[in-house]
Amino acid sequence: MTDILGKVDMINGPVIRGVEMTGFKMREMVLVGEKKLIGEVISIDGETGIIQVYEETEGLKKGESIVSTGKPLSLKLGPGILGNMFDGIERPLKKINNDFGSFIPEGIGLISLDEEKLWEVNILVNVGDFINEGQVFGTVEETSLITHKLIVPFGVRGKVVNIKESGKYSIEEELVVVEDERGYSHSLKMYQEWPVRMPRPVKERLPIDRLLITGQRVLDIFFPIAKGGTAAIPGGFGTGKTMTQHQLAKWSDADIIVYIGCGERGNEMTEVLEDFPKLIDPKTNKPIMERIVLIANTSNMPVAAREASIYTGITIAEYFRDMGYHVAIMADSTSRWAEALREISGRLEEMPAEEGYPAYLPTRLAEFYERAGYVKNLNHEEGSVTIIGAVSPAGGDFSEPVTENTKRFVNVFLALDRELAYSRHYPAINWLTSYSGYVELLKDFYSRELDEDVKELRGKMLKLLYEENRLKDLVSLVGEDVLPDEQRFILEIARVIKIGFLQQNAFHKEDTFVPLKKQIEMLKTIDHLYERGLNSIEKGIPISQIKDNKLFEDIIKMKYNIPNNNLDGIVELNEQIDNFYNDLDAEYSR
Amino acid sequence: MKKEYLQLDRIEGALIELSNTHNVGYGEVVEIENNNGNKKLGRIIKIEEDSVIVQVFGSTTGISTKNTKVGFKGKPFEISLSKDILGRTFNGIGKPIDGMGEIYSKESYNVNGRPINPVAREYPRNYIQTGISSIDGLMTLIRGQKLPIFSGNGLPHNELAAQIVRQAKIKAKDGRDTRFGIVFAAMGVKHDEAHFFRETFRKSHVLDRVVMYINYADDPIMERIIAPRAALTAAEYLAFEQNMHILVIMTDITSYGEALREISSLREEVPSRRGYPGYLYSDLASLYERAGMLKDKSGSITLIPILTMPNDDITHPIPDLTGYITEGQIVLSRELYQKNIYPPVNVLPSLSRLMKDGIGEGFTREDHPDVSNQLFSSYSKVQEVRSLAQIIGEDDLSDKDKRYLEFGRKFEEVFVNQDFNDDRDIEDTLNIGWELLSILPIEELDRLDSKLIEKHIKNR
């Protein structure tokens, strides 16, 4: 570490200015004051530099020193990340709790991965091998679910000249020594460092054509999210953003989940810590906690670290992607991140654009969402990062800058609706204003997995819902009775779709996660009901006969009554529909 | 080493600026004494090159740029706390105003507190019975929760808060928990409002368990910024060092937000929505997030902030940002109040985020989740029917819709409406719920399990 020293000259909340700072680098990490608060240089002007500080600055004095560390804000990436909870700059909150008690003090320094824990390492290379950047040189069984692959850091290639035997080591141990073409030697440890603001390189980006299966009907069938894709979930408070994010974190079929609690409630993170370890992944029968990384900067933690937390999360996600995993990242909420940008920008007295947000807000959002993708990594394996960002629009108004700008950079827009939430229709995703840009791209995926034309059926159902919305306007003016029977039947079917299909109960053990096969069978059943009923209406049978309460009720309750692993009940339901309408038709044709 | 300065550069509103100081710390407390010997406190809010900007608690009237003594204390804003604070009344910056003398204690605490480590938190699960049907049944209050009351000017939010204070109890298996206390923080309240609360505490015989921090509407706004922090620091002390269950009532957050805006504009900061500073969210969070429970402590802080929505607008920045931080909200409605319904809780936009884990079997009653769900969804249907009835008239409604109207009317008059002195048990609340639901046709009860319908409606 070079000992370049600056001096504190101005303090304004988390923003400080230093003088005598020639020699400091832009975006460099620095230690500020006697308490060695962690900060980052965000602008340099001649002798003076502006620093954002990731810890509380109370008590800091003018004239205290600023020490350069010579490297940008970066993360240690290695075993020990999974199942853990970190703050916005990758400091382990469990360790902080053990060492410092229930409240987080300032000046705890830069700690990250556990340096003492011994990991069982399996070395995969031999002396004399030629290894390349991105290649896997060893493995660690980090959890029973995930094998942590040790990859050669970027920029390192050459001949292996020395190795340790497979065995138990701490992350600081030199495992492999590589000599490059120019004769320099590099020692590889279990971890590598990477600056958070820089995307990690890949071989190439691949087209997006696989569904991220979430087990949530309204998503998987109506507004699908693709692996490597981007989605935004905007919604006012109380509309269920966090609930939806939690459901996705629990059930989506990604290998690794990175959950960023960015400026949200402390109790929500606690809930994750308490609930998730009890949940078992339906695919692997292992606790889902083993595949989750939590980043927490709750709303009362320092605001500058909130800005960094998003980058910390995405960098960790990319790291696992480079091992060939499919990673999904939930950022809850990106609005708080944007507000952190605004707060710091305000303290820098920058010229504000819309609603006080800095003019570079869209650029930053684009840079973040563009780090998603389905890629071939340097090791020629496939991996992906899917970004699902919650947005908390002020006043629930979707025309505010963060929602508007986010909309430009994401492909799936899941608009949460206050009206639906008030009537406890969960997930409160409004089917009229939401959209997914992946429906067409996933067409082949659906036909491969389900042998069904999902797009066609989805289109038909959405059209019914759209019709219903139009008719409801009419009904609110003239009442339902005056509508022709065909249209009244649409209202009835729309009700079945809404209650029986779109509403999903996160607290019901069958309904919280539904396999794709059951989802499509359910929707086909509803479609069958519609077709048979419509057919009977065309024969002149009155709606009062067509709408059989018992039959409709059974169909609405199929989500609860038919187990996920045995769909025989759905076949029976279809038979019931046929029998009922066959009898009805026969009766009326007499 | 205490240095004093005699020369100020600038006085503007509640901010003073002075230069050529020694190396003072950010956030340090400052004592200002004018030439009449009047002492005031202040705090450093910005240090730039040679000059220091101090925010003065209290008015700057009578302060001159010459001959004003400014001394730096060398430490952040702290209050001393001991068990003796119970039963006492303080002003916004923690000075006693009840004439009963200073609090002497070796321990003093920084009013800003420190963020609770999420790992150290205990997830709240024990429900508090308030005896108010709309709250217990539909937006259950959980110990350790922060649940604000969104109200409007002239609505009975103070009465509702008072009723909660009087009736709140924890129905734990081991009987009533006695180690509870109340911390009351008033920001910019009218004298009669403060009096109302003091009377309420007296009548409920809890006065010796209450700590009050009062900043009246005509008190300096700078103290308004400190008042809730002093109160929460006291609450943290009582909850986490004295192991008490503390209910914190804060009113009125809107006055607090306006004080923040006033200071922000004095400091010439870039405003965001409606002139409020960009850090309003973080600032409110630094208050609300201090509620909660800790794994290794047996006490708890439950927080009920009260705010009056300007113009009854729930999208105003203060209710809006509050709703994003708190774990739900209780929304009062002027329309219901005009229909003579007390408490006028508008259940549709109201919500308790923590209730899902604190109700049902083992907590309240097995049917509670489904009943509350069904009541919400049926009552929201009532709104649709009402708007239809307005157009085509009630007579032309179908039988089903007429039953909905009947249900809606009863729901407001029997379930929501209750006397100020009526303390309903959770069992009673749920039974009333079933009674109302039985008005509706059974096939409309799509949120209820058929077994429950069987048990509570058909078998009666």
Side-chain angles (χ1 to χ4, degrees):
Chain A
M1 188 155 78
T2 42
D3 268 41
I4 311 180
L5 285 178
K7 276 205 183 87
V8 177
D9 174 51
M10 179 207 84
I11 308 163
N12 183 4
V15 173
I16 67 164
R17 190 174 66 208
V19 286
E20 300 171 26
M21 286 187 57
T22 18
F24 279 69
K25 297 191 210 66
M26 185 68 177
R27 291 285 172 199
E28 176 181 10
M29 192 163 52
V30 294
L31 302 174
V32 179
E34 278 165 20
K35 285 185 176 167
K36 301 211 179 312
L37 307 175
I38 295 166
E40 184 182 3
V41 179
I42 53 173
S43 85
I44 299 176
D45 179 9
E47 276 246 293
T48 62
I50 306 279
I51 295 161
Q52 63 177 2
V53 182
Y54 294 123
E55 297 177 84
E56 177 58 51
T57 51
E58 191 176 76
L60 188 66
K61 289 180 176 146
K62 198 184 74 148
E64 286 192 33
S65 64
I66 301 170
V67 183
S68 155
T69 65
K71 59 184 183 191
L73 180 68
S74 33
L75 303 181
K76 273 189 181 174
L77 299 166
I81 293 178
L82 290 173
N84 230 324
M85 187 193 264
F86 299 97
D87 76 354
I89 46 176
E90 210 209 6
R91 297 188 298 187
L93 288 168
K94 277 180 197 161
K95 185 174 164 54
I96 293 174
N97 185 34
N98 286 340
D99 295 357
F100 301 95
S102 304
F103 297 88
I104 304 173
E106 56 276 6
I108 44 186
L110 199 62
I111 47 175
S112 64
L113 300 177
D114 190 339
E115 289 168 4
E116 271 141 44
K117 182 166 179 171
L118 298 181
W119 297 94
E120 184 74 49
V121 187
N122 185 18
I123 302 286
L124 299 177
V125 293
N126 291 310
V127 173
D129 287 358
F130 186 86
I131 57 175
N132 210 336
E133 56 182 10
Q135 189 179 334
V136 178
F137 69 86
T139 56
V140 172
E141 297 301 321
E142 185 170 356
T143 67
S144 63
L145 205 57
I146 301 292
T147 302
H148 195 114
K149 298 176 190 166
L150 307 176
I151 45 189
V152 180
F154 298 110
V156 175
R157 63 167 67 89
K159 211 162 75 181
V160 176
V161 292
N162 199 358
I163 57 165
K164 284 264 170 21
E165 300 223 341
S166 298
K168 284 197 152 195
Y169 300 106
S170 75
I171 59 165
E172 286 293 343
E173 193 77 33
E174 286 183 2
L175 299 172
V176 172
V177 180
V178 182
E179 199 180 86
D180 67 18
E181 290 157 346
R182 286 171 299 171
Y184 293 113
S185 69
H186 304 265
S187 56
L188 309 185
K189 296 178 179 173
M190 237 178 279
Y191 72 90
Q192 50 180 288
E193 295 198 359
W194 190 262
V196 293
R197 293 180 199 279
M198 200 154 93
R200 288 170 64 88
V202 295
K203 192 96 206 160
E204 61 177 320
R205 279 180 178 252
L206 299 175
I208 283 173
D209 59 3
R210 285 206 221 168
L211 177 69
L212 179 79
I213 300 169
T214 63
Q216 313 302 308
R217 290 183 293 262
V218 62
L219 298 182
D220 289 355
I221 303 279
F222 281 92
F223 306 107
I225 302 172
K227 284 203 173 101
T230 48
I233 311 181
F237 62 83
T239 51
K241 282 184 304 296
T242 303
M243 202 53 224
T244 311
Q245 292 273 35
H246 280 193
Q247 282 299 93
L248 293 178
K250 285 174 187 168
W251 306 120
S252 59
D253 74 335
D255 300 314
I256 311 267
I257 304 285
V258 178
Y259 194 99
I260 312 170
C262 176
E264 290 288 306
R265 304 175 183 91
N267 275 334
E268 279 168 4
M269 298 314 289
T270 313
E271 186 185 2
V272 172
L273 278 182
E274 282 193 17
D275 278 4
F276 283 27
K278 293 179 219 150
L279 295 168
I280 301 295
D281 181 26
K283 222 171 34 174
T284 55
N285 283 325
K286 295 274 165 58
I288 60 168
M289 199 63 200
E290 297 197 350
R291 58 167 197 168
I292 290 185
V293 185
L294 297 167
I295 312 285
N297 177 282
T298 58
S299 56
N300 55 342
M301 283 156 80
V303 68
R306 193 166 308 156
E307 196 263 336
S309 65
I310 289 278
Y311 296 104
T312 299
I314 190 89
T315 305
I316 291 175
E318 285 176 341
Y319 174 62
F320 282 102
R321 174 202 66 195
D322 293 343
M323 295 179 206
Y325 289 117
H326 295 287
V327 187
I329 168 168
M330 327 274 153
D332 184 13
S333 143
T334 56
S335 294
R336 304 298 162 230
W337 170 66
E339 280 164 13
L341 281 181
R342 173 169 72 182
E343 184 171 338
I344 290 159
S345 161
R347 298 212 191 240
L348 294 173
E349 293 170 6
E350 291 172 342
M351 181 73 97
E354 271 176 289
E355 289 192 21
Y357 286 103
Y360 47 77
L361 174 71
T363 320
R364 295 285 171 88
L365 280 170
E367 280 169 1
F368 171 62
Y369 281 106
E370 281 301 302
R371 286 175 78 167
Y374 199 103
V375 305
K376 186 181 273 180
N377 63 24
L378 297 181
N379 200 24
H380 299 276
E381 287 171 317
E382 287 183 10
S384 68
V385 172
T386 311
I387 300 182
I388 301 159
V391 183
S392 319
D397 170 15
F398 288 179
S399 67
E400 57 91 42
V402 183
T403 319
E404 267 302 311
N405 285 311
T406 302
K407 232 175 162 173
R408 292 164 49 202
F409 307 118
V410 297
N411 274 321
V412 182
F413 187 75
L414 303 168
L416 296 180
D417 189 283
R418 206 167 244 172
E419 293 299 317
L420 290 175
Y422 283 1
S423 60
R424 301 306 189 258
H425 173 117
Y426 289 125
I429 294 172
N430 184 320
W431 48 89
L432 297 171
T433 47
S434 301
Y435 58 80
S436 165
Y438 297 120
V439 180
E440 186 63 42
L441 294 175
L442 294 172
K443 213 176 158 200
D444 291 343
F445 175 87
Y446 286 122
S447 47
R448 204 164 57 232
E449 294 286 312
L450 293 169
D451 202 16
E452 296 286 347
D453 191 350
V454 172
K455 192 179 166 228
E456 167 90 24
L457 185 60
R458 167 191 184 273
K460 185 173 170 189
M461 293 293 132
L462 273 177
K463 184 158 173 260
L464 284 178
L465 289 169
Y466 173 76
E467 274 294 294
E468 185 239 7
N469 187 56
R470 204 177 56 85
L471 291 172
K472 261 173 72 184
D473 287 346
L474 205 61
V475 167
S476 68
L477 287 176
V478 295
E480 203 182 311
D481 293 347
V482 296
L483 293 182
D485 278 359
E486 280 93 2
Q487 298 192 336
R488 289 185 64 182
F489 190 58
I490 289 181
L491 294 182
E492 294 298 338
I493 291 294
R495 181 167 170 269
V496 176
I497 303 175
K498 284 192 290 187
I499 303 176
F501 192 83
L502 295 176
Q503 281 183 15
Q504 191 163 349
N505 187 344
F507 304 109
H508 192 284
K509 80 176 169 20
E510 288 299 330
D511 207 29
T512 181
F513 169 87
V514 184
L516 217 46
K517 185 74 189 155
K518 183 178 169 188
Q519 296 186 24
I520 191 72
E521 290 301 327
M522 282 172 73
L523 199 58
K524 274 166 66 187
T525 307
I526 296 172
D527 181 48
H528 190 57
L529 176 74
Y530 173 64
E531 288 299 339
R532 288 302 314 249
L534 191 66
N535 182 275
S536 297
I537 285 177
E538 280 162 1
K539 290 183 178 149
I541 303 172
I543 181 104
S544 53
Q545 296 295 311
I546 299 216
K547 199 206 157 207
D548 179 66
N549 283 336
K550 166 88 175 49
L551 183 65
F552 273 59
E553 216 45 34
D554 283 349
I555 290 172
I556 284 175
K557 295 264 163 85
M558 68 183 157
K559 58 180 175 182
Y560 298 143
N561 297 338
I562 294 169
N564 286 337
N565 53 12
N566 183 356
L567 300 182
D568 294 349
I570 290 197
V571 180
E572 281 166 32
L573 257 183
N574 279 290
E575 282 165 12
Q576 264 185 52
I577 295 172
D578 282 334
N579 291 342
F580 178 80
Y581 288 106
N582 286 344
D583 291 352
L584 196 67
D585 290 353
E587 199 180 309
Y588 271 79
S589 65
R590 256 189 268 129
Chain B
M1 186 197 81
K2 197 174 160 189
K3 282 191 192 163
E4 287 194 337
Y5 298 85
L6 291 170
Q7 173 86 35
L8 301 183
D9 295 347
R10 193 164 69 99
I11 307 170
E12 189 179 349
L15 303 182
I16 61 174
E17 194 175 328
L18 66 161
S19 52
N20 297 319
T21 58
H22 64 287
N23 281 341
V24 293
Y26 183 72
E28 196 173 317
V29 172
V30 179
E31 194 175 72
I32 303 133
E33 187 180 338
N34 71 6
N35 44 15
N36 300 331
N38 277 340
K39 281 184 185 169
K40 287 201 167 60
L41 291 179
R43 183 163 67 165
I44 297 176
I45 55 168
K46 188 172 179 181
I47 298 174
E48 183 157 18
E49 290 167 26
D50 274 343
S51 69
V52 169
I53 296 177
V54 175
Q55 167 184 324
V56 182
F57 305 132
S59 148
T60 46
T61 313
I63 295 183
S64 134
T65 50
K66 287 215 161 55
N67 292 326
T68 298
K69 271 191 249 170
V70 180
F72 293 89
K73 299 263 194 179
K75 57 178 190 185
F77 199 87
E78 289 175 340
I79 54 174
S80 4
L81 295 171
S82 76
K83 279 200 85 172
D84 299 334
I85 58 171
L86 287 166
R88 301 290 306 272
T89 305
F90 304 91
N91 71 2
I93 51 173
K95 292 271 164 284
I97 51 171
D98 51 5
M100 282 157 55
E102 293 279 331
I103 297 292
Y104 292 100
S105 167
K106 272 178 278 178
E107 307 293 330
S108 56
Y109 296 82
N110 184 339
V111 293
N112 284 330
R114 276 179 167 152
I116 300 180
N117 190 329
V119 173
R121 277 183 193 268
E122 163 102 38
Y123 191 69
R125 287 179 203 275
N126 281 320
Y127 92 109
I128 297 176
Q129 179 178 305
T130 63
I132 298 163
S133 287
S134 47
I135 297 179
D136 290 351
L138 302 174
M139 60 215 79
T140 319
L141 178 65
I142 305 289
R143 186 156 71 184
Q145 184 173 19
K146 36 194 182 292
L147 188 64
I149 300 175
F150 286 11
S151 183
N153 290 313
L155 293 181
H157 43 267
N158 289 343
E159 285 79 356
L160 179 61
Q163 193 172 0
I164 294 174
V165 166
R166 201 179 60 233
Q167 298 181 172
K169 49 181 154 304
I170 289 149
K171 289 181 66 184
K173 288 167 196 88
D174 49 352
R176 190 169 169 164
D177 216 315
T178 48
R179 295 183 53 79
F180 79 101
I182 294 161
V183 172
F184 178 71
M187 290 94 79
V189 293
K190 298 189 276 282
H191 284 261
D192 52 340
E193 274 179 274
H195 180 74
F196 169 83
F197 274 102
R198 194 176 294 116
E199 275 303 291
T200 307
F201 297 143
R202 193 179 58 76
K203 282 185 199 147
S204 341
H205 309 290
V206 292
L207 208 49
D208 58 337
R209 296 172 179 279
V210 178
V211 191
M212 298 205 255
Y213 289 87
I214 295 185
N215 166 265
Y216 291 109
D218 53 355
D219 279 345
I221 57 153
M222 292 300 164
E223 294 184 9
R224 210 160 289 169
I225 307 298
I226 303 294
R229 294 187 162 78
L232 285 162
T233 307
E236 277 174 1
Y237 168 79
L238 293 172
F240 302 136
E241 293 192 26
Q242 300 298 331
N243 298 320
M244 293 176 72
H245 293 298
I246 301 295
L247 179 65
V248 182
I249 308 246
M250 288 206 277
T251 184
D252 171 344
I253 298 292
T254 309
S255 311
Y256 172 81
E258 276 160 8
L260 212 58
R261 174 166 70 177
E262 194 173 326
I263 293 161
S264 167
S265 92
L266 270 178
R267 295 176 63 181
E268 296 172 1
E269 290 170 340
V270 180
S272 66
R273 279 178 78 211
R274 301 208 194 171
Y276 288 94
Y279 50 79
L280 181 62
Y281 179 83
S282 307
D283 191 277
L284 288 175
S286 73
L287 303 180
Y288 299 145
E289 276 290 326
R290 290 170 79 173
M293 296 169 77
L294 297 178
K295 282 204 181 84
D296 57 349
K297 297 282 176 354
S298 58
S300 66
I301 299 177
T302 309
L303 177 61
I304 302 186
I306 298 172
L307 59 90
T308 48
M309 300 182 278
N311 205 15
D312 294 349
D313 175 12
I314 200 170
T315 66
H316 182 278
I318 293 172
D320 187 51
L321 295 180
T322 297
Y324 276 120
I325 307 162
T326 53
E327 283 135 358
Q329 63 277 341
I330 298 170
V331 183
L332 303 189
S333 138
R334 200 167 294 278
E335 194 194 329
L336 285 177
Y337 190 55
Q338 282 159 352
K339 285 191 195 169
N340 198 24
I341 284 166
Y342 169 87
V345 176
N346 184 1
V347 302
L348 292 179
S350 299
L351 167 82
S352 163
R353 290 167 190 273
L354 298 183
M355 77 185 270
K356 61 182 174 23
D357 296 307
I359 61 167
E361 216 172 341
F363 297 101
T364 53
R365 208 169 78 180
E366 44 145 14
D367 54 332
H368 191 167
D370 284 4
V371 170
S372 80
N373 225 327
Q374 184 65 59
L375 285 171
F376 269 121
S377 118
S378 300
Y379 186 61
S380 90
K381 180 84 201 264
V382 169
Q383 312 305 318
E384 283 172 33
V385 176
R386 278 184 181 161
S387 57
L388 177 61
Q390 266 185 356
I391 295 163
I392 64 170
E394 271 190 43
D395 294 344
D396 287 343
L397 290 179
S398 64
D399 176 56
K400 184 182 86 185
D401 286 351
K402 280 182 188 155
R403 283 161 83 168
Y404 264 110
L405 282 189
E406 168 73 3
F407 167 80
R409 207 168 45 77
K410 281 268 178 62
F411 179 80
E412 287 164 7
E413 286 171 7
V414 181
F415 190 85
V416 177
N417 193 24
Q418 78 185 76
D419 192 78
F420 181 63
N421 294 308
D422 187 3
D423 188 357
R424 289 185 196 156
D425 196 78
I426 183 71
E427 298 268 335
D428 296 338
T429 294
L430 292 174
N431 292 343
I432 298 171
W434 278 108
E435 218 165 276
L436 297 177
L437 290 173
S438 66
I439 297 171
L440 297 172
I442 283 184
E443 66 270 14
E444 289 295 305
L445 305 179
D446 50 28
R447 307 295 174 98
L448 293 173
D449 200 89
S450 29
K451 280 181 219 129
L452 285 175
I453 296 181
E454 195 88 2
K455 188 172 161 193
H456 292 272
I457 294 186
K458 290 187 181 157
N459 289 355
R460 287 201 321 179

